[in-house]
Amino acid sequence: MADPAVTFPDVERLVIDHLKTRTELAAATVDNVPPSGFDGTQQVVLVSRAGGAWTDDEHLDQPLVDFEVYGPDKTTAHALSLKVRSAVLALRGTPYGTTRVTDVLEADGPRWLPDWNRPAANRYHSTVRLLIRLA
């Protein structure tokens, strides 16, 4: 049974906080919900925990994190997705509260994924697995 005193941070907030500090992403909105009036053509990075496992005896959280990256056109969305990829890989070794990101593993690199709910949207999708330990 998990030790009730052992808590891990909200991984979405951890990643969002990190990405918001990156100057190369300053032109994009980074959050876990779309901004008001979002139609898929703005530069937006949506961050969502998609699963992952907690290993109790190792005090290790291994969340899968999905990124939906949008832009005004396919080329811009792709370029932004590559910037996000680079910035996320830079999370290795980053402390966050009482934890540390010990590794970042790419599960699915940026790939074109049309957004059927937003006809004008240009979207790339990627997934990473973070390894987060108590510091």
Side-chain angles (χ1 to χ4, degrees):
M1 174 180 262
D3 179 349
V6 175
T7 59
F8 281 85
D10 174 344
V11 73
E12 290 179 6
R13 187 56 39 207
L14 181 159
V15 173
I16 291 165
D17 288 351
H18 172 73
L19 294 179
K20 284 185 172 185
T21 68
R22 305 292 296 212
T23 57
E24 69 271 29
L25 300 175
T29 299
V30 179
D31 208 341
N32 59 355
V33 294
S36 178
F38 180 65
D39 67 2
T41 62
Q42 301 91 331
Q43 289 192 59
V44 172
V45 178
L46 298 177
V47 178
S48 301
R49 182 173 181 146
W54 153 260
T55 307
D56 187 36
D57 59 337
E58 295 181 31
H59 290 222
L60 174 68
D61 191 16
Q62 302 176 68
L64 286 169
V65 181
D66 282 344
F67 299 90
E68 293 179 83
V69 180
Y70 291 86
D73 54 58
K74 189 174 180 183
T75 301
T76 303
H78 185 247
L80 181 58
S81 72
L82 296 177
K83 290 176 186 178
V84 168
R85 177 193 225 176
S86 179
V88 169
L89 291 174
L91 268 167
R92 274 188 198 106
T94 300
Y96 192 85
T98 61
T99 63
R100 176 175 299 278
V101 177
T102 59
D103 206 356
V104 179
L105 308 166
E106 189 170 61
D108 186 18
R111 64 183 165 91
W112 176 246
L113 183 63
D115 184 336
W116 306 113
N117 295 317
R118 298 177 179 98
N122 296 284
R123 175 175 69 173
Y124 277 82
H125 182 273
S126 60
T127 304
V128 299
R129 179 180 302 278
L130 302 177
L131 277 63
I132 304 172
R133 292 189 187 276
L134 291 177

